[in-house]
Amino acid sequence: MSAPHLLAAGGDEFEAPGLHIFDWGPLFSGGPSWLDWLTKPVLIVILAALALIVFAWRAFGNAQLVPRGVQNVGEVAYLFVRDQVARPMIGKDGDKWMGFLFTTFFFILFLNLSGVVPVLQLPATSHIAFPIVFAAFVYVTMLFLSIKHQGFIGYFKNMMFPPGLPKPLYVILAPIELLSNIILRPFTHSVRLFANMFAGHLLLAFFSTVAWWFLVEKLTPAGAGVGVVGFLMTIIMTGFEIFVQSLQAFIFTLLAASYIGGALHPEH
Amino acid sequence: MVRPAMSEEEHRPGPESDPSDDHQSFANAAWSIPSYVLSGMAVYGGIGWLLDHWLGTSALFPIGILVGLALALYLVYHRYGR
C-alpha cells in the first residue's frame, strides 16, 4: 500500500512526505515532447471521465421499463441526486438541472475517490486547478442565470439589499454581501474541495510512509510499534477518506445547486 | 405533567411547514457562513487597516476584523435565521 517513491532518496532519518508528493512531471519522462501535457492528474481526469461515460451509457443508454443490472444502480444514483440535491435546493424546476448536477456529482466523486484507488492513489481534485475550473463553471452559470432572471440591476439589488433591514444598516452590510457573493463564494467553493482532498492525501501519505519506513525500510524492535500504529492508521484513514471524498463531492454539488437555485428564485 | 407533552407537541412540524424549505435554508446558512465571515473581516479589517495606516494608530485593524465578524454573523442570522 505504501509507495517507496514517497520517501526522499537516501538518508537514514525518517522524513515525512511533503509537497513534493503532489508534483507530477510528464507521465512518460523522456518521451516525445508533444506528450508532456500527460501527467498523472490529467490521466486520472481522463479515466474518471471515461468511467462516468461508460457508467451513464450502461445505466441509461438502453433504459428498460423494468430496470436490471447497472440501470438499477444508475436509477438509485439519479434519485439520490434529484431528491437530496436538485429538488430541495432548486425546487420544482430542479429536474431540468439534473444533467448538470448528476455529472458534477459523479465526476467529482470519481476524481476524489481516485485518492484511494490502488495504483492511482491521488485525488485529482487535490490539484487546485480542477476545483477552480468546476467552481468557475458554476459561478458563470450562476451569474448568467441571475442576470437573466432578475435583470442586471435587480440582481445586485436583491443581493446587496435583503429586505427587512433598517436603512442605515444597508450602507454597512452591502459591501459584505457584494464581496461575499461576487468574489469569495467561488473562492470558498473551490478551496473547500481542494483543501479537503489535499489534506486527506497528505495524511494518507504520511501514515503509509510511517508504516513503510518503520516496518520495511528500518525495522527495529523499538520502531516496530510506531510502524504498526502507522499501518493501522493508514487503514482507518483510508476509510475516513472515502467518507470525506464522498461528502465533499456531495457538498460541492449541493452548493452548486444552491447557487443556481438562488439565481432562479432570489426570494429564498 | 402537561409541560413535556406540550413541548413535544411544539417540536412536531405542522402539516403546513415544508421540510424541503427547512432543509434548504439550513444548508444555505451553514455553507454561506464561511464566505460571509471572510467577507466581513476583509471589508472592515481592510478599512481598519487603511485607517491605521493613515492615522498612525494600530488598534483599528483588529477592531475592524471583530466588527466585520459580528456584522457578517448578523447578516447570516438576518438572511437565514428566521
Side-chain angles (χ1 to χ4, degrees):
Chain A
M1 87 174 40
S2 167
H5 83 265
L6 290 176
L7 295 168
D12 273 344
E13 297 277 306
F14 172 75
E15 212 171 304
L19 293 183
H20 68 273
I21 64 170
F22 293 95
D23 289 338
W24 295 90
L27 209 56
F28 305 105
S29 54
S33 60
W34 55 267
L35 254 177
D36 279 356
W37 56 271
L38 188 63
T39 60
K40 187 173 173 180
V42 172
L43 180 72
I44 290 171
V45 170
I46 294 172
L47 288 178
L50 285 177
L52 182 55
I53 290 169
V54 168
F55 170 60
W57 200 299
R58 291 282 312 275
F60 308 118
N62 182 24
Q64 307 288 323
L65 195 59
V66 180
R68 293 178 57 220
V70 181
Q71 196 188 341
N72 268 322
V73 182
E75 292 194 356
V76 169
Y78 182 91
L79 286 179
F80 171 72
V81 177
R82 191 192 70 183
D83 294 341
Q84 301 298 320
V85 179
R87 287 190 178 171
M89 302 315 286
I90 304 182
K92 289 190 185 66
D93 40 356
D95 291 19
K96 276 194 291 188
W97 291 93
M98 274 305 296
F100 178 64
L101 296 174
F102 186 89
T103 314
T104 305
F105 176 66
F106 279 96
F107 192 37
I108 293 178
L109 180 66
F110 287 177
L111 290 181
N112 289 355
L113 285 178
S114 62
V116 293
V117 172
V119 182
L120 296 180
Q121 281 170 318
L122 172 77
T125 35
S126 66
H127 279 255
I128 195 167
F130 298 114
I132 282 180
V133 171
F134 296 138
F137 264 105
V138 175
Y139 182 64
V140 170
T141 310
M142 184 268 291
L143 278 185
F144 174 79
L145 286 173
S146 301
I147 292 172
K148 187 178 161 201
H149 284 260
Q150 306 168 40
F152 188 77
I153 309 240
Y155 169 51
F156 282 94
K157 191 167 153 285
N158 287 334
M159 180 208 342
M160 289 166 66
F161 304 106
L165 282 172
K167 283 225 160 48
L169 268 182
Y170 283 131
V171 185
I172 301 172
L173 294 178
I176 300 182
E177 287 274 10
L178 185 70
L179 190 68
S180 164
N181 283 295
I182 297 290
I183 294 170
L184 287 171
R185 218 151 74 162
F187 175 77
T188 52
H189 196 196
S190 51
V191 166
R192 182 179 291 117
L193 176 61
F194 153 74
N196 275 283
M197 293 305 107
F198 181 85
H201 186 57
L202 261 185
L203 274 177
L204 270 183
F206 173 75
F207 286 121
S208 49
T209 312
V210 167
W212 180 264
W213 180 264
F214 286 101
L215 289 181
V216 180
E217 294 271 323
K218 295 273 187 281
L219 182 59
T220 56
V226 180
V228 168
V229 170
F231 180 73
L232 291 177
M233 281 307 287
T234 308
I235 295 173
I236 295 170
M237 289 309 293
T238 302
F240 182 65
E241 272 311 298
I242 294 174
F243 167 71
V244 171
Q245 286 159 349
S246 314
L247 186 73
Q248 288 304 322
F250 177 70
I251 286 170
F252 193 94
T253 316
L254 191 80
L255 282 171
S258 156
Y259 296 162
I260 290 170
L264 296 174
H265 315 290
E267 64 274 15
H268 278 297
Chain B
M1 291 321 283
V2 177
R3 282 190 86 101
M6 272 181 71
S7 65
E8 213 169 87
E9 199 66 30
E10 281 161 9
H11 282 113
R12 200 170 297 159
E16 71 279 358
S17 81
D18 183 358
S20 74
D21 257 17
D22 282 0
H23 181 75
Q24 178 178 14
S25 62
F26 175 74
N28 276 341
W31 298 113
S32 61
I33 287 175
S35 63
Y36 273 122
V37 164
L38 279 177
S39 172
M41 295 199 300
V43 170
Y44 288 96
I47 291 177
W49 184 83
L50 282 177
L51 287 177
D52 271 350
H53 198 67
W54 290 329
L55 303 177
T57 51
S58 60
L60 293 175
F61 176 51
I63 290 175
I65 286 184
L66 289 178
V67 169
L69 181 67
L71 286 173
L73 292 177
Y74 172 71
L75 201 53
V76 171
Y77 169 74
H78 176 77
R79 280 232 144 166
Y80 306 105
R82 299 163 313 145

